[in-house]
Amino acid sequence: MLILQFMFLLLMLYTGSRFGGIGLGVISGLGLVIEVFLFKMPPTSPPVTVMLIIMAVVTCAAILETAGGLKYMLQIAEKILRKNPRRVTLIAPLVTYAMTFLLGTGHAVYSIMPIIGDVALKNKIRPERPMAAASVASQLSITASPISAAVVYYLTQLGGLDHTISLIHIIGVTIPSTLIGTIAIALYSMRRGVELEDDPEYQRRLQDPLWKEKILSTTATSLDEKLPTSARNSVLLFILALVSIVAIAMTPEIRTIAEGSKPIGMSVVIQMMMLAFGGIIMLASKVQVAKITEGVVFKSGLTAAIAIFGIAWMSDTYFQYAMPEFKAGILEMVGTYPWSFALAMFVVSVVINSQAATCRMMLPVALGMGLPPQLLVGIMPSCYGYFFIPNYPSDIATCNFDTTGTTKIGKYYFNHSFMVPGMIGVVTACIFGYGLAGFIF
């Protein structure tokens, strides 16, 4: 019966993934109702802490976007790319990695993709090389960002298990490992595929007058817009917020309010700091409050919160109910092959299209089985598996931005542009992270 119920869980996740975003959250809510009232599973608590963190971070980032901070970051990124056009395949993944690292979400990189494609095309570089690598790198970086929902949830759970585990322990592993994974992706991409002039799809499009006009007239840029000084200042304030969070994480004394009391949890600190700096940016930049909810960051962040709300609640209810039966068999497998839990994380992420939701679903399972924190942090990049099925918004958008047709979903669906870069990035990051975690913990 548990296996059938697990298949039902996967069915709900798959069905929700076809709608994406809010659809994934509400379909999971339907699954939760069936679990409780039909399968008689006791409901667990909803993921309130994770949702509050997402809301706080998204609010601050949305204010940054309204203040012009994202456009300022985009202009800096474009200047770097255009000053080094022949190295666009190496630089573009690092640029999108940095943007996600700062903002805690990969949804802010859509605006840079047309620019990456434009730089590549004007230098006769196959656009698939930098664009696919940049799309994958933007998602791989989520487990390195100190304000991403996935990292904060890890911190909340592992810190509750062992108060000596801090944010520095986690990002001390995930930053180097995912950065090395990103470099591996870029190096692989340098020579992938045939040269642009020899690509049959590119040549076919050049024979089509409409496509030819679109290809030859492409001039994507953000440098023609004059931004106010407040845009730069908002970025500096946002970076100061990140530095402050890391500094507070490194000094538990600051978080200790009364002598003899436990330090304030970092999940609470992140919520406070993000809301506070959101207020500081709003006041300093004179942001129009009504426009905050109109930006891409706010809409995508709120959508993610609702998706995680449903997914995590439904999944946690099932696994808490099934844990006594599953624990023995899974423990034996993971005890013999520790990396096998990374495979489980990867498979779940393929289905539910969210790193935070994957962590929220799988980490309690791992802790319930007594798996060591260093293993769980080392393999954390394996929660990014949704490149495997090419239906994630950033990957679809990247294909659409490439007017040459080199970045594509293949004839056989799984032979798409993101498969090999994704596998290289995740596997490299997990191998390096697993080794590094042994030294840091």
Side-chain angles (χ1 to χ4, degrees), residues 66 282 287-295:
T66 308
M282 185 179 69
V287 169
Q288 295 183 37
V289 179
K291 293 185 177 181
I292 294 174
T293 58
E294 298 175 3

Side-chain angles (χ1 to χ4, degrees), residues 30 55 79 92 96-97 125 147 153 311 339 360 376 380:
L30 173 61
M55 290 173 64
K79 288 177 182 177
T96 56
Y97 179 98
I125 296 171
I147 58 173
Y153 181 72
I311 291 169
W339 54 266
R360 183 63 181 81
L376 300 176
M380 189 181 177

Side-chain angles (χ1 to χ4, degrees), residues 22-334:
I22 293 176
L24 185 53
V26 295
I27 292 295
S28 297
L30 173 61
L32 174 66
V33 169
I34 294 173
E35 284 179 345
V36 173
F37 293 103
L38 183 61
F39 297 145
K40 304 300 180 181
M41 298 180 187
T44 56
S45 300
V48 176
T49 299
V50 176
M51 293 172 62
L52 290 176
I53 291 168
I54 293 174
M55 290 173 64
V57 171
V58 165
T59 299
C60 187
I63 293 172
L64 173 72
E65 180 183 20
T66 308
L70 289 190
K71 288 184 179 179
Y72 180 78
M73 292 170 62
L74 179 62
Q75 289 186 349
I76 292 176
E78 183 176 353
K79 288 177 182 177
I80 294 172
L81 289 169
R82 295 198 183 278
K83 283 182 180 179
N84 303 274
R86 302 301 303 174
R87 299 186 180 89
V88 64
T89 305
L90 288 173
I91 296 174
L94 295 174
V95 165
T96 56
Y97 179 98
M99 291 178 72
T100 297
F101 175 82
L102 289 173
L103 296 170
T105 174
H107 290 292
V109 301
Y110 296 121
S111 53
I112 194 68
M113 285 301 178
I115 295 169
I116 294 172
D118 186 60
V119 172
L121 181 59
K122 283 182 169 52
N123 289 274
K124 298 183 178 180
I125 296 171
R126 182 183 179 87
E128 178 190 39
R129 294 172 178 174
M131 293 182 77
S135 180
V136 171
S138 72
Q139 301 301 317
L140 191 62
S141 177
I142 286 175
T143 52
S145 174
I147 58 173
S148 74
V151 170
V152 172
Y153 181 72
Y154 250 69
L155 175 63
T156 302
Q157 294 298 302
L158 297 182
L161 182 70
D162 182 352
H163 68 87
T164 63
I165 297 176
S166 69
L167 180 64
I168 304 303
H169 287 95
I170 297 174
I171 63 175
V173 173
T174 58
I175 290 177
S177 62
T178 54
L179 193 54
I180 288 176
T182 298
I183 293 171
I185 292 169
L187 292 175
Y188 159 76
S189 299
M190 290 289 291
R191 297 293 178 186
R192 73 173 304 192
V194 299
E195 296 301 322
L196 179 60
E197 296 299 325
D198 300 324
D199 186 85
E201 176 61 21
Y202 175 61
Q203 291 300 329
R204 185 191 69 77
R205 293 191 177 192
L206 286 180
Q207 301 307 313
D208 185 321
L210 293 177
W211 273 114
K212 184 176 181 179
E213 174 65 21
K214 187 178 292 187
I215 291 170
L216 297 180
S217 63
T218 297
T219 305
T221 183
S222 64
L223 300 179
D224 53 3
E225 183 176 356
K226 180 70 174 177
L227 297 176
T229 306
S230 59
R232 181 201 63 189
N233 294 340
S234 67
V235 173
L236 295 177
L237 287 169
F238 193 82
I239 293 174
L240 179 60
L242 299 185
V243 172
S244 300
I245 288 171
V246 173
I248 292 173
M250 293 175 64
T251 51
E253 296 81 10
I254 297 178
R255 294 184 279 126
T256 305
I257 303 301
E259 187 175 349
S261 63
K262 289 183 178 180
I264 299 172
M266 278 306 299
S267 61
V268 176
V269 170
I270 292 172
Q271 293 172 52
M272 290 192 297
M273 296 302 289
M274 284 289 99
L275 287 176
F277 272 91
I280 293 171
I281 293 171
M282 185 179 69
L283 293 172
S285 304
K286 299 179 181 178
V287 169
Q288 295 183 37
V289 179
K291 293 185 177 181
I292 294 174
T293 58
E294 298 175 3
V296 174
V297 171
F298 186 86
K299 291 177 181 178
S300 62
L302 186 61
T303 299
I306 295 172
I308 290 171
F309 182 24
I311 291 169
W313 201 358
M314 177 182 69
S315 302
D316 194 42
T317 295
Y318 170 79
F319 280 112
Q320 290 297 322
Y321 177 77
M323 181 60 69
E325 297 290 334
F326 280 176
K327 188 173 182 178
I330 298 176
L331 265 179
E332 182 179 352
M333 180 181 69
V334 175

Side-chain angles (χ1 to χ4, degrees), residues 339-380:
W339 54 266
S340 62
F341 196 81
L343 181 60
M345 292 258 286
F346 184 88
V347 170
V348 169
S349 177
V350 170
V351 176
I352 64 178
N353 277 2
S354 169
Q355 295 183 49
T358 299
C359 293
R360 183 63 181 81
M361 178 175 173
M362 297 301 292
L363 190 57
V365 177
L367 295 177
M369 295 187 300
L371 298 183
Q374 60 266 35
L375 166 67
L376 300 176
V377 174
I379 65 171
M380 189 181 177

